[in-house]
Amino acid sequence: MRNKVVTKEEAVSQIRSGSAIMVGGFGQVGTPLLLIDELLRQGQRDLTIISNNVGEPGRGLGLLLEHGRIRKAIGSYFTSNPVVGQHYLRGEIEVQLIPQGSFSEAIRAGGAGIGGFYTRASAGTTLAEGKEQKVINGQLYVLEYPLVADVSLIRAYRADTLGNLTYRKTARNFNPVMATAGKLVIAEVDEVVSPGDLDPESIVTPHLYVDFVVQRGMM
Amino acid sequence: MRNKVVTKEEAVSQIRSGSAIMVGGFGQVGTPLLLIDELLRQGQRDLTIISNNVGEPGRGLGLLLEHGRIRKAIGSYFTSNPVVGQHYLRGEIEVQLIPQGSFSEAIRAGGAGIGGFYTRASAGTTLAEGKEQKVINGQLYVLEYPLVADVSLIRAYRADTLGNLTYRKTARNFNPVMATAGKLVIAEVDEVVSPGDLDPESIVTPHLYVDFVVQRGMM
Amino acid sequence: MSDMDFKAIIAARAALELQDGDIVNLGVGIPTLVVNYLPEGREVFMHTENGLLGVGPTPAPDHVDPDLINASKLPVTQTVGCSFFASDESFAMIRGGHIDVTILGALQVDTRGRVANWSVPGKPILGVGGAMDLLIGAKRVIVTMSHTDRNGNPKIVEECTLPLTADRNVNVVITDLAVFKVEPQGLVLTELLSGATLDEVTAKTGARFDVKLVETTTG
Amino acid sequence: MSDMDFKAIIAARAALELQDGDIVNLGVGIPTLVVNYLPEGREVFMHTENGLLGVGPTPAPDHVDPDLINASKLPVTQTVGCSFFASDESFAMIRGGHIDVTILGALQVDTRGRVANWSVPGKPILGVGGAMDLLIGAKRVIVTMSHTDRNGNPKIVEECTLPLTADRNVNVVITDLAVFKVEPQGLVLTELLSGATLDEVTAKTGARFDVKLVETTTG
């Protein structure tokens, strides 16, 4: 039977400079820190990062930012890392800001083959400037386009060797939806089990979305 | 603590004639047959049924159809019940046909506050005639609008008294998404358990979507 | 009045707005304090947009679970009957009208009850988070904020000088001095808090408002 | 040649199109037979749009689970490592390009490789199902059908007289007499099956096609 478990070195070596990379996590919870550290070590640069936050100073995506590896960030809340603001003001990073609900929905659209969707969020605000708007049933909606990535780095709790995934508590957040929208999907997990060990009713990410599984705590 | 478990009589008595009703199930699997039978007994009429199929002759929604209670059916595959064709040809029922993926996505949009979405399905075909189409990234998409209902009748496996739900195997199908898109949501379940008895990681329909729970096999 | 006092007054009054069974999403800051002032026996369900319905109180330091946080990225607990879900599903709940009440902070509120709370003047716009989605999606929106800014200037103004968060008006504005309901014609002062007088509130408010005082319930 | 023979020939040839690890969705009719002809040791994962990844073979009559069916509404089993999900998620997989291969029947195929398979002439259009979603979403589409209709008329035609199912062309057409690949310029005959001659196929085909015969692998 196929086995998608590989080393972090092997998985991350599939990522090229210039890639658009989705990274799961809300704050640092549910963030694939091992994969990010390996990406830092391997040296890929000129990255577009699609992530709700860009880490913290000296931690997670914050490290990639400080090392000048990130060209552009797409997400909803970068304020929590002051380094983003410094890089932005120096013109070292491009930023695209989307309401958090539109952000997660755009990723879902990317994974689900939806060409675009209308949401009320941001309609009539400065954040919608330059976007197509449409009145539907008397209410103003904004057209948002799907987000997709070359690679999705996600953090799950348990994987089976086929690549089925479950998550833990609020570490789930953006991970399952990002698993649907990357051409290459790498999952960092706490535990690897055999097919059949995960309840088929409780698998959150079916294996068809996952390319590689990297187990934490393994060399 | 709140308890959403009621009798089928009580739950179904909330439904008025003229309502738009979503009904879960694929074929007869995962169809809330008890609630449909009670709806037949109580006599509500002039109904718009939003369901993938309209039952079988003499069973499920087929019974409502044969008793002349259905004015309009919205779904993707009515061919499996020949009675639909007979009623349609006699002008007794209006039919709105949507590709199955667009149908389930339109229900999701209804439940998720999406004003409309673009899909490639049916683009350029006769089924898209009269619908807005748009070229996105060089491909033709159709604009589909959300589906919502006055009532959703769904079939789940286990409920807790708060209204959290889990499903069983392929009886899940349209039930979870329909649970998000009805103003009033009634779930017919096999078993009722206490809050805390369902794994919080495995609840498919969180209780905020559910108004009433009806247990099968109870008087 | 100490900073803590004024926050407590606002939070205590906001708690009275919550009805039994409400699904409630609490924003950052004062709103998070509201749970401490719930009337005895009132059961509400706390939703956090990072993927949990059933947020419990802050854990003791030695009971912190690093995978269990709220949208303010603070450690929380989970209640009996809770459920976890991904960010896209969480915002589907928000946009889709499944949250009964959201309580949010604001920088400014205009005479029609529209709020500005996402962008600070003179700083690059690097965070929006879920505020826009909550504002357009929640059934009721309650704003909690200090009546004036740190320089003593009114935060309730004829027109917001900061960019609006949504084109939708909120339902209630609660400050340390007053409660305003938002009616079709605009702000209506309904209560005076903290022993404030009508003259004081008028002096510290930069927008027209009607007055229909009801009995003050706290303060 | 008996009806069973011709179906077996088509299904056996179609099975050779499946690669190790493929995610496969099988339509109603001949496609469901394909699993019986998989080469030894080839591991493919069967997806059914009613919400299961990991469809297993037909159960013995005394092992039928009424909650476990495929999209043809026939009883199936579940494989080790399978997962269940709702219809909206299932079609997100389909539309989003996560299904490697779909095998579908057709009423007609045109010279560009576009198919008509959802609407029968002279009958009211009362069913579309998931065919349109599968046709636009699957990475590869394989059509399996009898070479001619029951009256001996070609089903491969210059232009479909029945309404098209999608504006997208399929990738391979397999009949009881021949295999066509669909290239940018149109149909290319690559194999003769069942001992058919080029003259016979030409006589029974109503559309232009190029010929680039490769070694016949079955029939």
Side-chain angles (χ1 to χ4, degrees), chain A residues 20-36:
Chain A
I21 308 182
M22 287 185 183
V23 183
F26 185 89
Q28 298 289 84
V29 174
T31 301
L33 294 173
L34 200 73
L35 297 177
I36 293 170

Side-chain angles (χ1 to χ4, degrees), chain A residues 26-27 29 53 76 78-79 85 88 97-102 105 119-122 125-126 168-171 173-174, chain C residues 65-69 71 73 78 84-88 91 95 118 124-129 132-133 136 163-165 167:
Chain A
F26 185 89
V29 174
N53 319 104
S76 92
F78 302 138
T79 325
Y88 178 77
L97 207 65
I98 313 174
Q100 198 169 129
S102 303
E105 186 69 12
T119 174
R120 291 259 305 118
S122 89
T125 76
T126 55
R168 188 168 180 278
K169 304 195 184 235
T170 56
N173 57 63
F174 294 92
Chain C
D65 182 330
D67 283 341
L68 193 48
I69 61 168
K73 291 165 188 138
Q78 64 193 72
F84 295 102
F85 32 83
S87 299
D88 55 320
F91 279 97
R95 262 193 327 264
W118 68 285
I125 294 175
L126 292 172
V128 54
M132 289 187 174
D133 303 280
I136 58 94
L164 291 176
T165 309
D167 58 7

Side-chain angles (χ1 to χ4, degrees), chain A residues 28-106:
Chain A
Q28 298 289 84
V29 174
T31 301
L33 294 173
L34 200 73
L35 297 177
I36 293 170
D37 286 349
E38 178 61 19
L39 192 59
L40 181 72
R41 196 188 67 78
Q42 291 192 11
Q44 291 89 336
R45 53 182 58 249
D46 203 23
L47 304 174
T48 294
I49 295 293
I50 303 169
S51 185
N52 191 57
N53 319 104
V54 184
E56 293 169 7
R59 193 144 179 256
L61 291 172
L63 276 170
L64 284 181
L65 178 67
E66 290 158 31
H67 284 76
R69 304 286 179 73
I70 303 180
R71 181 173 53 82
K72 182 177 180 180
I74 303 173
S76 92
Y77 200 76
F78 302 138
T79 325
S80 47
N81 185 351
V83 183
V84 177
Q86 297 160 17
H87 280 248
Y88 178 77
L89 289 174
R90 290 203 299 266
E92 293 167 0
I93 184 174
E94 191 185 335
V95 165
Q96 184 181 332
L97 207 65
I98 313 174
Q100 198 169 129
S102 303
F103 176 68
S104 54
E105 186 69 12

